[in-house]
Amino acid sequence: MERIWIYDTTLRDGAQREGLSLSLEDKLQIAHLLDQLGVPFIEGGWPGANPKDVQFFWQLQQEPLTQAQLVAFCSTRRPRTTAAEDTLLQGILAAGTPWVTVFGKSWDLHVTEGLGTTLTQNLDMIADTVTYLRSQHRHVLYDAEHWFDGYQANPEYALATLETAYTAGAEWLVLCDTNGGTLPHQITEIVQRVKAHFPQAQIGIHTHNDSGTAVANALAAVQSGARMVQGTINGYGERCGNANLCTLIPNLQLKLKYDCITPAQLTRLVEVSRAVSERVNLAPDDHAPYVGLSAFAHKGGVHVSAVGKNPLTYEHIQPEQVGNQRRVVISEHSGLSNIIAKAQELGLPLERTHPATREVLQRLKDLEGQGYQFEAAEASFALLVRQVLGQRHPPFVLHGFQVHCQTQAQGEGHWSSSVATIKVAVEGQELLTAAEGNGPVSALDRALRRALETFYPQVRDFHLSDYKVRVLDGQSGAAATTRVLVEFTHGAHRWTTVGVSSNIIEASYQAVAEGLEYGLMQTHALVG
């Protein structure tokens, strides 16, 4: 298998995404995740551009990566100085990385209008910078910024910039589609021309997703001779993002049969994708290829039936190859195959010929007609199946609740609190408890826990981690039916339940109550 060198720029280019901010600790954790994934090159940032990046490179000098090469990033020297005198390049050398990526201007428009210098001076800046860094015993990757736009505007000059970098000692020539406007057929044609012009050079590709073709463009470049692919985890990046390595790596390795990382490392792709999204505080894309929660989810009854017989019918790879797993989604579109497969996935015995199976299906369709949705509330589905099978033993019986909310002005803002009073029967004992929270749902959750924890101490370890509300019939105004989804966590395990009512507090209570019940069932606190 021929090698494709993966170059990750999540910590630099990816961090330029709007709304994304990385702390020093975030950058260090992500660097180590990428190192364990087997990425050969990790671009850490521009040392000297800000204190955080200086500290990042210094800390990784003390605790170096085990597999990957850490790369510092910088521009060519400035127009009216020399590389040896440019203070920005001194910061690069202080970072201590064996590899440095230098970006320079390929497009004559950027040279004259962006840099405000001459085309000849730009070539001098490229040559001086690369030569200087090589004299300081650094390996140099040359990123040809706006390469494809520059080539299409002035091919002779664009090629001259590459020639200059290559002659000065750059070991990789990376062609950048910085504006993201090039299409795959153009990438193919231009990369082939570059390969013909530089038959001995190592060529890389760096694509942006402004036309929605970043991954396709990178694949086209590889098939035309590029042997390095630059991108980011989850496709993070400025504007519309960069080429998504979570899509590129399996495409290159599983479909095109290139060697990128080991098969064992590839099975960590989902784990890394989700860990990075957690670090950058952005919700994972459930519909992302390969790594998304829904990438191998099956909803249509025909699909589920076929996959049960042979997964190849509706899956292009085995999900386990990238660390994902098959999921069966249940909804009003479900058939018996969905119900049976989902129940088996949850460890519940349902057979096609059992009357309970059709009853579960009918109840599900009736409830979804009322506004319930079980796709994202698998815990509620599990409780429904147990109820039909006669295996559901609720840990309490509700006798009523009240919620009192109070808001008061406080300086320029306001202060609010809620108190919930709840009456329940637990193991035959009637209990009246109350609790305060920063909102009605929080107060209800705490009051219910307070009633249960004497009998079921496990509830102290359940945490309400997410709360979503959907208005189902917006034209009804405040009287609209609402759907509430509540997510609980217990260590690494997560589960979601659903409640529906025209009273948002009632819907919330339903979801919270089922969430606590399911959690107790999973920790074996309930018999049955």
Side-chain angles (χ1 to χ4, degrees), residues 270 274 284-299 303 314-316 319 324-329 375-376 378:
V270 169
R274 294 176 185 172
D285 179 0
D286 287 347
H287 301 281
Y290 293 103
V291 297
L293 184 66
S294 300
F296 300 95
H298 304 283
K299 182 174 179 178
H303 291 213
Y314 284 99
E315 290 178 353
H316 64 117
N324 213 331
Q325 59 184 1
R326 182 178 304 116
R327 293 173 58 247
V328 174
V329 178
E375 288 184 35
E378 296 178 346

Side-chain angles (χ1 to χ4, degrees), residues 147-148 151 175 184-198 203-205 217-218 220-227:
W147 163 259
F148 294 94
Y151 182 86
L175 311 180
H185 71 283
Q186 297 168 305
I187 296 282
T188 297
E189 179 184 350
I190 295 172
V191 172
Q192 287 175 350
R193 290 182 185 176
V194 171
K195 280 296 295 179
H197 195 89
F198 301 96
I203 304 299
I205 184 70
N217 284 348
V222 167
Q223 292 182 297
S224 300
R227 288 299 173 263

Side-chain angles (χ1 to χ4, degrees), residues 169-382:
E171 297 177 51
W172 285 93
L173 302 178
V174 181
L175 311 180
C176 303
D177 186 27
T178 310
N179 282 353
T182 314
L183 297 178
H185 71 283
Q186 297 168 305
I187 296 282
T188 297
E189 179 184 350
I190 295 172
V191 172
Q192 287 175 350
R193 290 182 185 176
V194 171
K195 280 296 295 179
H197 195 89
F198 301 96
Q200 303 303 317
Q202 298 185 100
I203 304 299
I205 184 70
H206 177 115
T207 56
H208 284 252
N209 202 41
D210 299 74
S211 299
T213 57
V215 169
N217 284 348
L219 293 175
V222 167
Q223 292 182 297
S224 300
R227 288 299 173 263
M228 172 180 283
V229 172
Q230 298 191 355
T232 62
I233 297 296
N234 298 327
Y236 298 143
E238 199 162 18
R239 303 183 313 277
C240 304
N242 287 45
N244 188 344
L245 290 179
C246 296
T247 305
L248 269 170
I249 292 173
N251 274 338
L252 289 166
Q253 190 143 328
L254 301 178
K255 301 299 181 71
L256 298 178
K257 305 303 180 184
Y258 288 106
D259 176 22
C260 299
I261 56 180
T262 69
Q265 289 166 334
L266 187 61
T267 64
R268 300 193 60 187
L269 193 62
V270 169
E271 173 193 345
V272 171
S273 168
R274 294 176 185 172
V276 172
S277 69
E278 187 73 21
R279 270 285 165 187
V280 303
N281 198 29
L282 291 172
D285 179 0
D286 287 347
H287 301 281
Y290 293 103
V291 297
L293 184 66
S294 300
F296 300 95
H298 304 283
K299 182 174 179 178
V302 173
H303 291 213
V304 174
S305 177
V307 167
K309 298 170 185 174
N310 187 339
L312 288 176
T313 53
Y314 284 99
E315 290 178 353
H316 64 117
I317 66 161
Q318 296 174 356
E320 295 78 13
Q321 290 179 281
V322 292
N324 213 331
Q325 59 184 1
R326 182 178 304 116
R327 293 173 58 247
V328 174
V329 178
I330 44 96
S331 74
E332 60 185 341
H333 302 289
S334 298
L336 288 177
S337 297
N338 297 60
I339 299 299
I340 294 166
K342 191 64 183 179
Q344 290 175 348
E345 185 182 305
L346 296 169
L348 299 170
L350 277 184
E351 301 294 335
R352 181 173 291 273
T353 57
H354 197 291
T357 305
R358 290 196 175 274
E359 185 178 348
V360 169
L361 179 60
Q362 188 57 51
R363 286 204 193 183
L364 182 142
K365 291 180 181 292
D366 291 343
L367 288 168
E368 293 227 344
Q370 299 171 33
Y372 286 82
Q373 186 183 60
F374 293 91
E375 288 184 35
E378 296 178 346
S380 287
F381 174 74

